[in-house]
Amino acid sequence: MSMAKTEKSAAASAAAPGDTSPNGSAAPELRYNPAEIEARWAERWAAQPDLYAAEPHSSPRPKYYVLEMLPYPSGVLHMGHVRNYSIGDALARYMWMQGYNVLHPMGWDAFGLPAENAALKNNTPPRQWTLQNIAAMKRQMNRVGFSYDWQTEITTCLPDYYRWNQWFFLRMFERGLAYRKKSKVNWCPQCATVLANEQVVNGCCWRHEEQTVEQRDLEQWFLRITNYAQELLDDLAKLEGWPEKVRTMQRNWIGRSEGAEVAFELEDWSAVPEDEEKARKGTAILPPRTVAKGMGTKIAVFTTRIDTIYGATSLQLSPEHPIVRQMCAMNAPLEEAVAALLEQQRKAREAGDVGAIEKHGVFTGHYAFNPFSGERIPVWVGNYILTDYGTGAIMSVPAHDERDYEFAKKYDLEIRVVVLPRRPGDPEGEPMLPFTAEDSLLINSGDFSGQGCQEAQHKMAAFAQEHGFGKPTVTFRLKDWGISRQRYWGTPIPMLYCEKDGIVPVPDSELPVLLPGNIEITQQGGSPLARVPDFVNATCPKCGGPARRETDTMDTFVDSSWYFYRYCDPRNDRAPFDSEKIAYWFPIDQYIGGVEHAILHLIYSRFWTKVMRDLGLVRNDEPVERQFAQGMVIRNGAKMSKSKGNVVSPDEMIAHYGADATRMYSLFAAPPDRDLDWQEDGVAGISRFLARVYRFLMKHGGRGSEARAAHGSAPAQVSAATQALQRKLHQTIRKITQEYAGRWHFNTCIAAVMELVNTLTAAEPQIAAGEVPDAVLADVLRSLTLLLAPFAPYLAFELWEHLGQTGNLLRAPWPKFDEALAKEDQIEIPVQINGKLRAVICVDADAGEDAVRDSALASEKIAAALAGKEVVRLILVPRKLINIVVR
RNA sequence: GCCCGGAUGGCGAAACUGGCAGACGCAGCGGACUUAAAAUCCGCAGAUCCGAAAGGGUUGUGGGGGUUCGAAUCCCCCUCCGGGCACCA
């Protein structure tokens, strides 16, 4: 039989993947047909529900919990999902092969607004719409071949999940961690609901980028995340396996500021305001401690620069400060002016640039006393003073704060320097105001003059505390988490309102509070549940009288704050989970998702874990050991979106090139933490590569498998081709194994596999000539299949079987590399003269320095280049290079 | 304004600790096979200059300076792009 001829005709007839043109002369065994292979394996995998199941927590294997962020079931898988899950899947498969007991679950973040919008649009009930989408996306995920254990699947919109949201809420309520208060809330008219601070982006709704968020006063439920602000901040230091970027973002979000609170006493209410012009300048120093003139009303300010308090020349209050309200009540012109300031604030917020608001203010006509100096200073209202940070009031120190300086210039307020406007050692000169640096000395500051700023900060705060008008304090930017949503498709908040007993929690025995099924979704504002009498009308568990149910539902971020615990015990109907199972699986070893969740989801999750720990449910302080933020998938330089028309559908890619090529390209095109520019030609390239591998194994795999029995009895004398092949194999295994342990640069792993295949195909003549022992060939092909398995599982399973392997590929041990076999025996050493490459010499890998030097100097090119030059110095870096410095 | 990233051929990228810049792939060019095309296989390939060629020179990692025998990599300054925060007192 003419082997060459067979090969030729087969190669000639190999069709492109997706090429549907009939080709009668095809040799089917040599043609890579991903559609056929993948369909066959998908069917086989589907028939094995335990294929990806984790072993119980009694397993002797070390555990590994790898998790990808659960998706919202929009109905279509997009490329970002494919990339995210391909990373997790490669890792899960690798860890299985490394012998770990792997938990690799998937679920659905299934509550949320789109279901209600879809209901309005298509007249489909949210539940039905959501469950249909889940089915569709699950089908797509299985088509890609992700290794999820569907037996642990969770769906947050089903009562067996959300009842535990309610249960947790009740536990928090019992501990005062859930409370109700009236507050100004962010309201999105399009969503017709409240948004958390975290969901407001540039003053607009996170879902409706064009929609300005309004402010409304509503009674809302809050979770006291601020109780954990300090711990959330402190524990960031422990999260060494998290991207620095994510930790920084959280640190900024928590926004801890150390400073002091100081109370300024208001001058007697009844004092007649002087005329405004005079008032502005009214900073005449009164005798110290003229508190007799005070009236007992105090205005607390928060400052990080108490050391500059002798330079305070006015107080600035937020337009919404309670005292301002009182002042306005007896002063109509002031009320009008304050209303104007409020309006400016509102407009700025709606324009999304609170930071750029033009500063305006108004003098209230009142004065307050500086508790340190006793000085009488005017009280103003400023539109740049935030209501909900600190105390909503500040002391204005124009000389040492940029904002205060700007304001004082505009309104001609006194600017008094109390910090030497230069550092020790700086040349004297005109002060550059405002001077905000803290590494200087106080002046004009009573007994504190001459002290360093930072020293004075501590001493002055302590002084204030001793004398009862202040104290050191810490302020956080983080605010409590408002979770009430005036929506239907969410977890009902398990609370009742009884006329007699007030706010009453639903007893545990009555959980879950079920979301009613038949409800008409309309565009009216307010909670849809309020329009369902059967839902609203309830009985008070305390008095048995009539009660009204809470009709708001929970923010969906509640659902995703603890879902990963439920995967460990998904069907438990007595508790959210068995704590022993959690103790085994937690913390999550590796969490993978988009950086867009760096703040919201990841901070809520950390908070929830700490609450659960304090409830005695879990022992871990943090949910996630290592976090990975993958880059976005973009195309033509922009994020994929319908409006830009640059969306690539995974379905189309898979139909054309196969799932293996699609997911492998998503790992090859860029390192996983960087943005990935999708180029379809690249997918075609991967597909070609897989076809090469397939063809090679179809041709030579059989021979290798027959020789398995002879494995280990390789001849003592190996050919150069054999040695080169083995060397490349072991270098590749080493490289890839190191990447998994380190940076996860799967792009270079795949490149390494390509190089291995290039080496293999280059050696094809020698292999065909029998110069490579079958045992070696079998080892190479077997290892190649294993290396490929995490990236292209369908093809790997197919090849595994073709190689005659009978064990489960998923649990086949990851190949081990042998340093001795990976070692090069000859290495190339670049030789530079004055840092410029002049020659490359080839030496024995273990040649001594003298031998290498001699060899370099003996090189013709080097000898020629050195002629007539004086060698000043010779640098030899073993195994790296030689640099000869000449004159 | 502040805090993170990033910038390397025509393109995606590689070079992990300062040591041959451009691995691997895409697109391209040349060749083999073919009646032809596709597919496949082999080869070339940063730019520029000299040379018929073999080969060689110069230059080159956003820009400018510096440290070093040697810099994509370290230091200083600047530009541009992406992201986060933003009157947080």
Side-chain angles (χ1 to χ4, degrees):
Chain A
M1 175 180 98
S2 164
M3 191 63 198
K5 197 175 172 193
T6 312
E7 279 175 34
K8 204 182 279 179
S9 64
S13 63
D19 183 353
T20 50
S21 62
N23 192 329
S25 62
E29 74 277 8
L30 287 184
R31 181 172 156 241
Y32 174 54
N33 183 343
E36 187 273 323
I37 293 171
E38 293 177 5
R40 189 150 35 78
W41 282 99
E43 198 178 319
R44 287 173 65 171
W45 292 338
Q48 297 170 264
D50 287 335
L51 186 60
Y52 304 120
E55 292 169 12
H57 62 290
S58 55
S59 167
R61 296 170 183 268
K63 68 95 182 179
Y64 196 83
Y65 187 173
V66 54
L67 181 69
E68 297 114 55
M69 288 180 183
L70 88 176
Y72 177 78
S74 62
V76 278
L77 207 63
H78 56 69
M79 276 305 174
H81 292 126
V82 171
R83 186 183 197 196
N84 187 179
Y85 309 149
S86 295
I87 297 166
D89 201 54
L91 184 65
R93 288 174 186 274
Y94 173 76
M95 294 313 281
W96 263 308
M97 295 168 89
Q98 285 287 13
Y100 285 83
N101 180 22
V102 176
L103 178 60
H104 189 214
M106 184 43 74
W108 311 98
D109 186 18
F111 270 138
L113 201 50
E116 285 179 66
N117 293 339
L120 271 173
K121 211 170 152 192
N122 319 322
N123 203 27
T124 314
R127 181 187 159 96
Q128 188 193 331
W129 183 83
T130 304
L131 295 181
Q132 279 170 356
N133 286 348
I134 288 173
M137 289 178 80
K138 194 167 166 180
R139 214 176 305 123
Q140 284 181 299
M141 286 182 182
N142 283 331
R143 177 66 189 84
V144 188
F146 295 129
S147 59
Y148 299 126
D149 177 10
W150 291 113
Q151 294 172 100
T152 62
E153 176 183 9
I154 59 161
T155 304
T156 60
C157 68
L158 299 179
D160 67 350
Y161 183 82
Y162 71 68
R163 69 176 292 182
W164 302 111
N165 284 347
Q166 296 172 339
W167 186 88
F168 280 122
F169 182 89
L170 294 173
R171 300 292 84 75
M172 292 197 201
F173 178 74
E174 287 161 8
R175 301 194 156 222
L177 290 172
Y179 65 98
R180 192 166 163 80
K181 76 170 180 199
K182 187 161 202 161
S183 77
K184 200 161 279 290
V185 293
N186 307 300
W187 178 270
C188 170
Q190 278 197 51
C191 298
T193 189
V194 166
L195 303 175
N197 291 324
E198 287 83 346
Q199 292 163 342
V200 180
V201 181
N202 289 333
C204 292
C205 173
W206 67 314
R207 291 189 173 284
H208 305 103
E209 286 174 25
E210 304 296 313
Q211 178 60 58
T212 299
V213 170
E214 299 173 358
Q215 305 293 306
R216 291 196 183 182
D217 274 315
L218 277 181
E219 284 268 319
Q220 300 286 306
W221 284 100
F222 285 84
L223 300 184
R224 225 177 273 282
I225 191 171
T226 52
N227 271 20
Y228 290 87
Q230 187 65 51
E231 194 190 343
L232 286 168
L233 180 68
D234 290 344
D235 285 357
L236 283 175
K238 291 189 204 165
L239 301 179
E240 283 165 14
W242 285 43
E244 193 49 52
K245 179 183 175 138
V246 172
R247 293 202 282 172
T248 304
M249 282 165 74
Q250 292 209 358
R251 202 172 291 122
N252 292 341
W253 189 263
I254 295 167
R256 182 184 197 270
S257 284
E258 268 186 53
E261 230 174 77
V262 183
F264 285 65
E265 187 162 2
L266 211 54
E267 189 182 38
D268 195 335
W269 222 212
S270 56
V272 180
E274 300 172 30
D275 77 79
E276 192 167 320
E277 199 52 36
K278 208 171 156 195
R280 281 181 189 159
K281 308 277 186 184
T283 54
I285 297 188
L286 297 171
R289 311 257 143 246
T290 49
V291 275
K293 289 195 80 179
M295 58 163 293
T297 303
K298 295 194 171 164
I299 300 175
V301 304
F302 173 71
T303 175
T304 54
R305 291 299 305 276
I306 192 175
D307 54 311
T308 64
I309 198 166
Y310 283 84
T313 54
S314 67
L315 283 193
Q316 297 288 337
L317 310 188
S318 147
E320 293 176 273
H321 196 285
I323 285 181
V324 173
R325 236 168 266 168
Q326 289 180 44
M327 291 171 170
C328 287
M330 39 187 257
N331 185 341
L334 179 64
E335 185 171 21
E336 206 172 297
V338 168
L341 298 176
L342 268 171
E343 179 62 13
Q344 288 154 12
Q345 281 193 335
R346 193 184 62 78
K347 277 200 177 139
R349 207 162 11 223
E350 294 189 355
D353 54 350
V354 183
I357 191 173
E358 201 195 327
K359 289 182 180 52
H360 289 288
V362 59
F363 176 50
T364 60
H366 297 276
Y367 290 83
F369 298 105
N370 182 329
F372 275 84
S373 63
E375 185 184 353
R376 181 172 174 265
I377 59 174
V379 178
W380 284 62
V381 180
N383 67 352
Y384 68 106
I385 307 303
L386 301 173
T387 306
D388 51 4
Y389 181 78
T391 59
I394 64 152
M395 63 178 201
S396 177
V397 185
H400 306 296
D401 182 281
E402 283 177 26
R403 296 150 300 183
D404 295 344
Y405 184 81
E406 186 190 334
F407 190 87
K409 277 282 178 193
K410 176 165 180 171
Y411 286 100
D412 198 20
L413 296 172
E414 190 194 347
I415 297 168
R416 189 186 314 145
V417 175
V418 294
V419 176
L420 196 64
R422 57 182 173 271
R423 283 105 174 186
D426 276 3
E428 305 236 356
E430 276 302 297
M432 289 288 289
L433 291 182
F435 182 79
T436 57
E438 295 181 42
D439 49 354
S440 186
L441 300 176
L442 293 190
I443 52 174
N444 302 325
S445 296
D447 294 344
F448 299 94
S449 294
Q451 294 187 5
C453 291
Q454 292 178 14
E455 178 194 3
Q457 282 168 19
H458 293 110
K459 291 198 175 158
M460 291 169 88
F463 181 85
Q465 190 158 28
E466 265 170 50
H467 293 79
F469 56 75
K471 60 180 182 198
T473 182
V474 171
T475 294
F476 292 93
R477 210 189 77 111
L478 183 74
K479 300 193 179 64
D480 277 339
W481 177 13
I483 61 154
S484 295
R485 297 290 180 276
Q486 291 68 48
R487 303 305 324 171
Y488 162 68
W489 194 232
T491 305
I493 295 173
M495 283 289 166
L496 296 163
Y497 302 95
C498 170
E499 273 188 28
K500 190 160 149 252
D501 296 307
I503 297 175
V504 182
V506 173
D508 282 7
S509 59
E510 290 178 23
L511 295 185
V513 175
L514 287 172
L515 204 53
N518 294 327
I519 180 170
E520 199 197 340
I521 307 289
T522 69
Q523 222 146 10
Q524 298 171 47
S527 301
L529 289 175
R531 296 190 293 272
V532 183
D534 285 353
F535 179 83
V536 176
N537 298 325
T539 306
C540 172
K542 273 194 186 166
C543 69
R548 188 174 53 82
R549 235 178 244 294
E550 168 67 64
T551 55
D552 286 352
T553 53
M554 296 183 197
D555 181 2
T556 58
F557 276 101
V558 169
D559 309 341
S560 54
S561 290
W562 68 280
Y563 75 101
F564 31 64
Y565 288 94
R566 184 71 178 169
Y567 283 136
C568 302
D569 198 7
R571 309 291 166 247
N572 195 327
D573 58 3
R574 294 177 314 281
F577 44 72
D578 174 351
S579 295
E580 288 312 306
K581 293 182 180 172
I582 299 306
Y584 174 75
W585 285 111
F586 269 76
I588 295 163
D589 294 275
Q590 185 68 60
Y591 197 20
I592 305 164
V595 74
E596 66 272 19
H597 293 111
I599 298 173
L600 303 175
H601 164 56
L602 288 175
I603 215 162
Y604 294 146
S605 296
R606 296 181 57 224
F607 159 65
W608 208 278
T609 289
K610 290 174 191 304
V611 171
M612 293 199 306
R613 177 203 58 199
D614 291 347
L615 289 168
L617 296 170
V618 305
R619 291 171 217 163
N620 47 302
D621 292 322
E622 288 285 339
V624 175
E625 180 82 23
R626 286 170 57 88
Q627 152 72 20
F628 189 89
Q630 103 254 1
M632 281 189 305
V633 179
I634 58 177
R635 192 169 171 228
N636 304 330
K639 192 176 176 177
M640 286 188 189
S641 73
K642 275 185 198 157
S643 59
K644 293 195 191 81
N646 62 349
V647 176
V648 179
S649 140
D651 280 348
E652 274 173 44
M653 285 295 130
I654 291 166
H656 209 85
Y657 301 101
D660 278 342
T662 303
R663 48 146 66 193
M664 195 156 156
Y665 174 74
S666 82
L667 296 175
F668 178 67
D673 51 348
R674 248 204 255 180
D675 286 353
L676 183 163
D677 199 275
W678 193 270
Q679 295 182 0
E680 191 170 334
D681 285 341
V683 189
I686 295 289
S687 179
R688 272 199 291 274
F689 166 71
L690 294 176
R692 280 177 70 203
V693 173
Y694 180 83
R695 275 195 306 274
F696 192 92
L697 265 102
M698 287 301 128
K699 262 195 266 181
H700 305 288
R703 216 186 91 199
S705 79
E706 283 156 26
R708 272 186 307 132
H711 195 262
S713 59
Q717 201 67 341
V718 293
S719 69
T722 305
Q723 204 191 357
L725 200 51
Q726 278 186 316
R727 185 183 301 133
K728 191 72 187 176
L729 172 67
H730 286 268
Q731 287 172 348
T732 307
I733 298 171
R734 180 174 63 191
K735 153 86 186 160
I736 296 177
T737 306
Q738 284 169 354
E739 282 294 341
Y740 273 105
R743 308 179 305 172
W744 287 12
H745 281 199
F746 299 128
N747 54 331
T748 61
C749 293
I750 293 167
V753 179
M754 288 172 168
E755 285 187 59
L756 174 62
V757 172
N758 289 346
T759 306
L760 196 57
T761 49
E764 203 165 359
Q766 287 86 345
I767 290 167
E771 286 172 38
V772 175
D774 286 358
V776 172
L777 182 63
D779 183 42
V780 172
L781 297 184
R782 189 175 168 282
S783 299
L784 171 62
T785 304
L786 294 171
L787 295 175
L788 227 33
F791 306 135
Y794 284 107
L795 179 61
F797 270 73
E798 178 77 6
L799 299 179
W800 190 245
E801 201 164 84
H802 182 77
L803 289 173
Q805 302 284 341
T806 48
N808 181 358
L809 172 58
L810 203 63
R811 319 270 167 169
W814 186 252
K816 293 215 167 5
F817 60 90
D818 182 332
E819 285 288 1
L821 289 175
K823 191 172 172 241
E824 300 278 358
D825 37 35
Q826 292 256 299
I827 52 173
E828 291 186 329
I829 302 282
V831 183
Q832 298 179 336
I833 292 176
N834 286 349
K836 293 199 178 187
L837 183 68
R838 284 292 178 264
V840 177
I841 57 169
C842 199
V843 298
D844 286 345
D846 42 13
E849 289 193 15
D850 289 345
V852 174
R853 185 182 302 116
D854 292 348
S855 173
L857 294 172
S859 149
E860 256 178 59
K861 284 181 192 166
I862 296 302
L866 288 180
K869 301 272 171 57
E870 182 197 348
V871 174
V872 180
R873 198 173 154 187
L874 190 143
I875 288 129
L876 189 148
V877 185
R879 301 183 60 83
K880 293 272 192 200
L881 107 172
I882 293 174
N883 189 13
I884 304 166
V885 186
V886 301
R887 195 155 42 202

